[in-house]
Amino acid sequence: MTAVLVVLLMLSGMAGLGWPLVRRLVPGLDEGERLALAPLLGALPLALLVQAVGAWRYDFVAMAVLLALALAFGIGLPRSVPSFPWRWWPWGGMLAALFGLLALSALAPPIDHDTIRYHLTLPRRDLELGRITLWFGWSIYEFFPPLASLLTRMAFALGGAEAAQMLNVAWVGLAACWAGLLVRRLGCGPQAALAAALLVVGQRVTLNLGSAVTTDFPLVAFIGAAVTVALSKRHAVALGLLLGAAMACKYHGIVAALALLVPLGGMAVVSRRGLAYVIGAGVVAALVLAPVLLRNYVVTANPVFPTAHPLFVADGLDIFAPLTQALSRLQPPGGLWALPWTMFILQDAFDGLQWGFPFILLGLPFAFFRPAGGRLMVLSMVVLYVVLWWLAMPHLLRFLLPILVPLCALATVGLAQVATVSVPWFRPVFTAAIAVGMVVQSLFAGSSALYRLPVVFGLVDIRQALEVPAFRYYSLISPCLWLAENLKPGQTYLALVNDPSFYCPQKAALHGLRSGEEGAFYSTGGVASLSAAEIAQWLRRDNVGYVLMARNLGADDERYAFAKHRFDKVVAPVLAGHTPLLDSPSGMIYDAGPLIAALERASGQ
């Protein structure tokens, strides 16, 4: 249970670092909100320390010493938890069961697509290199806002992939906690608070991704806390830090921050008070994000790289064009005006069942049967974010996650009000609808756990679990494990793949760009093609011993996410006439020696 211990210590360290900020910045919040705020505010200095120390040395010892330093600040934490009138049954029991399921699932080897592609691949690369690096041309993903990924690196160095996944479960817990606190601030009781937390955890997207590694759930937690703090209409610095941290987790946080600050600013203008508070929060948030933008500009000439690259760089490549063109096939019926219905009822018209049963739609309209200014402010933030998402972002329901906490809080308020209706026939009908929804969501929970728990309990090994059609093409599990077992010290390998896999050695992979080619790779002109002779010379010079070729090579929509496909057109046809050392459903391993000799013969050498 190393993963659980690592995450508990990290949360304690984050809370210890954040508590002095809480005491100084938010004296007016209640004690429960202050305690929940401490690890979020502490995440900022801890991530900064991980970056500073990791740039010099990134390994178990360096991260352990850093965590011990953070834990020393925990001495100032309060020794008692504020009393809360808990009535655990039924919502608390269900919540505990779901968190137990997520925690168990996090102990499985990574199976999620983006976790394997980059969320853990980049930390593994840096751990093999011995330092946290920023490698222009290796991957676009390391230029995304790094706060959450830096904390993932600490967890990974201390406890491996399981600890990194368990940290994401902790982020889900913080998001659920803030949903409950927001419901309390909107005027509901403790049972409704537990129900709101359950609603966050019970969404299908949470059940699928809660035990993976993401930057989404840290963003969800920060935005949930920011909305709650914003309702107090005080604490501008704390609000700015939360919004800045959200933006430092993911670029979507910029949209979420605008969606919150614009309604607050409008209300301040109308009431002629509070405008300085809103401006102050915005300035603080911008200052938190500024180092990330400056770093990206210095390295890539684009502060928000890899997005909007043609706007900042002459001949800059629209890096996400293949993906956005593929997503343009998503045409939800009814357009913007039908979204309140289609995003919950016709989820397959977007990117699939991200919510599952539409509890949110069921409860949301009833939240406004009684006048309440705070609820309208939260709704205005939700509506503005959805409009911005529709106008400026790919229409993926997963990209609505920044508003998960306010959505679930408002829906819970509505469901709580409906539950008090005294019409005799209504209560059994309402109870039956909720029961059906819970059965449906429990099926989603079971299907998600079905992939992970057999590995956790040793019923199947990692090869059996991942060498199936759903996972084989991006996990590349068999060839990756073969390379890990057979690569000799100082030897490298050439990867002809659609994306790198966490399960493969990273430092030993041949990088596909020569020094100085990075800018050209992300330009409309592209990099120069390589001849057979140039490739043969390159492979000999870098001591390439093996070639990994994915069985579905070329079947990807994000061709510039990594420096890949440079060698495909020349090398793949030559390998077609060779016998692989390993032939698996996901990919093949070839001896590089005969390949190099064939390339040299083809070039007349």
Side-chain angles (χ1 to χ4, degrees):
M1 300 299 285
T2 303
V4 176
L5 177 62
V6 166
V7 171
L8 288 176
L9 291 175
M10 285 187 64
L11 288 175
S12 300
M14 289 159 60
L17 290 169
W19 186 247
L21 295 172
V22 169
R23 291 177 61 187
R24 179 175 293 273
L25 298 177
V26 288
L29 297 182
D30 68 43
E31 200 63 17
E33 292 171 336
R34 283 156 57 87
L35 283 173
L37 196 58
L40 295 184
L41 292 184
L44 281 163
L46 185 58
L48 185 62
L49 288 170
V50 171
Q51 176 68 80
V53 173
W56 165 65
R57 175 175 173 175
Y58 175 54
D59 56 18
F60 176 87
V61 172
M63 294 298 105
V65 170
L66 189 55
L67 181 56
L69 177 64
L71 287 169
F73 283 82
I75 297 173
L77 285 170
R79 294 292 178 263
S80 61
V81 177
S83 60
F84 186 80
W86 296 103
R87 286 178 52 204
W88 277 97
W89 186 258
W91 314 126
M94 296 179 189
L95 189 62
L98 285 181
F99 268 112
L101 185 63
L102 287 177
L104 272 176
S105 298
L107 297 175
I111 68 170
D112 170 64
H113 181 259
D114 285 353
T115 300
I116 290 176
R117 287 177 69 233
Y118 67 94
H119 283 308
L120 284 181
T121 301
L122 290 170
R124 175 171 179 171
R125 182 203 68 185
D126 289 350
L127 197 63
E128 292 177 3
L129 291 171
R131 60 187 179 87
I132 296 175
T133 185
L134 192 66
W135 191 338
F136 188 37
W138 201 93
S139 163
I140 62 174
Y141 297 110
E142 52 200 297
F143 290 90
F144 284 173
L147 189 152
S149 63
L150 287 169
L151 297 176
T152 295
R153 279 169 167 81
M154 170 175 267
F156 181 73
L158 294 174
E162 292 82 4
Q165 293 183 138
M166 195 67 69
L167 180 61
N168 199 58
V169 176
W171 286 117
V172 172
L174 287 169
C177 179
W178 278 103
L181 292 169
L182 179 55
V183 162
R184 294 280 282 171
R185 190 161 276 273
L186 291 175
C188 292
Q191 279 289 88
L194 286 172
L198 179 63
L199 200 56
V200 167
V201 181
Q203 299 303 309
R204 192 186 183 208
V205 64
T206 310
L207 298 172
N208 282 343
L209 298 179
S211 51
V213 178
T214 74
T215 55
D216 295 287
F217 287 103
L219 172 59
V220 172
F222 282 115
I223 293 298
V227 173
T228 308
V229 170
L231 288 177
S232 70
K233 299 182 180 178
R234 293 179 291 172
H235 317 304
V237 175
L239 177 59
L241 289 175
L242 290 169
L243 292 177
M247 295 190 293
C249 286
K250 199 164 186 170
Y251 284 133
H252 299 170
I254 299 174
V255 181
L258 288 173
L260 181 57
L261 290 175
V262 168
L264 286 175
M267 293 166 57
V269 170
V270 171
S271 64
R272 296 185 179 181
R273 57 194 175 113
L275 187 58
Y277 157 79
V278 178
I279 294 174
V283 170
V284 172
L287 289 175
V288 172
L289 183 63
V292 178
L293 303 181
L294 180 62
R295 175 203 71 173
N296 288 357
Y297 180 77
V298 169
V299 177
T300 73
N302 175 1
V304 291
F305 184 83
T307 61
H309 201 46
L311 296 179
F312 295 95
V313 176
D315 297 324
L317 185 71
D318 185 355
I319 294 169
F320 292 112
L323 177 63
T324 54
Q325 289 168 8
L327 294 176
S328 66
R329 294 191 292 269
L330 299 175
Q331 295 294 335
L336 176 63
W337 305 110
L339 270 180
W341 176 263
T342 56
M343 64 190 280
F344 295 111
I345 301 301
L346 302 178
Q347 298 174 45
D348 283 333
F350 297 89
D351 52 327
L353 294 173
Q354 300 295 341
W355 312 117
F357 188 83
F359 281 110
I360 296 174
L361 180 63
L362 192 63
L364 195 60
F366 300 103
F368 304 95
F369 274 25
R370 297 175 185 172
R375 299 175 195 179
L376 290 174
M377 194 281 287
V378 175
L379 180 65
S380 66
M381 179 263 178
V382 167
V383 170
L384 182 54
Y385 182 90
V386 171
V387 171
L388 293 173
W389 167 79
W390 179 263
L391 296 176
M393 298 167 65
H395 297 159
L396 300 176
L397 292 179
R398 181 179 164 184
F399 288 177
L400 292 174
L401 273 177
I403 55 172
L404 180 62
V405 166
L407 267 179
C408 289
L410 289 174
T412 303
V413 170
L415 292 172
Q417 293 191 174
V418 171
T420 62
V421 172
S422 58
V423 178
W425 60 266
F426 182 80
R427 184 174 291 274
V429 172
F430 175 74
T431 304
I434 296 298
V436 169
M438 289 194 299
V439 170
V440 171
Q441 296 301 85
S442 66
L443 293 176
F444 290 142
S447 66
S448 178
L450 187 63
Y451 293 114
R452 293 180 168 99
L453 294 188
V455 187
V456 174
F457 294 122
L459 302 178
V460 298
D461 66 23
I462 184 61
R463 281 188 174 90
Q464 290 175 299
L466 291 180
E467 199 68 275
V468 296
F471 309 126
R472 65 169 61 131
Y473 293 122
Y474 63 83
S475 72
L476 298 170
I477 185 64
S478 293
C480 283
L481 294 183
W482 191 96
L483 285 170
E485 294 166 0
N486 290 278
L487 272 174
K488 298 178 179 63
Q491 206 170 36
T492 64
Y493 70 96
L494 172 64
L496 304 182
V497 296
N498 298 317
D499 290 306
S501 166
F502 159 74
Y503 291 103
C504 278
Q506 300 303 316
K507 182 180 177 181
L510 182 71
H511 183 49
L513 297 178
R514 294 173 291 201
S515 178
E517 288 187 324
E518 299 85 2
F521 181 68
Y522 298 115
S523 72
T524 54
V527 292
S529 298
L530 297 172
S531 66
E534 288 175 310
I535 294 175
Q537 184 181 17
W538 196 340
L539 300 186
R540 280 199 183 280
R541 183 194 65 206
D542 284 35
N543 194 28
V544 172
Y546 303 103
V547 180
L548 186 166
M549 187 167 76
R551 193 170 290 279
N552 67 332
L553 184 63
D556 60 327
D557 292 325
E558 297 181 86
R559 299 185 63 83
Y560 300 96
F562 300 90
K564 55 187 179 179
H565 301 311
R566 183 84 183 271
F567 305 93
D568 296 6
K569 290 183 179 180
V570 175
V571 173
V574 177
L575 289 177
H578 291 235
T579 301
L581 300 172
L582 172 76
D583 192 352
S584 76
S586 56
M588 294 77 71
I589 297 289
Y590 295 89
D591 187 344
L595 168 67
I596 295 172
L599 291 171
E600 289 174 339
R601 286 195 301 272
S603 60
Q605 293 184 8

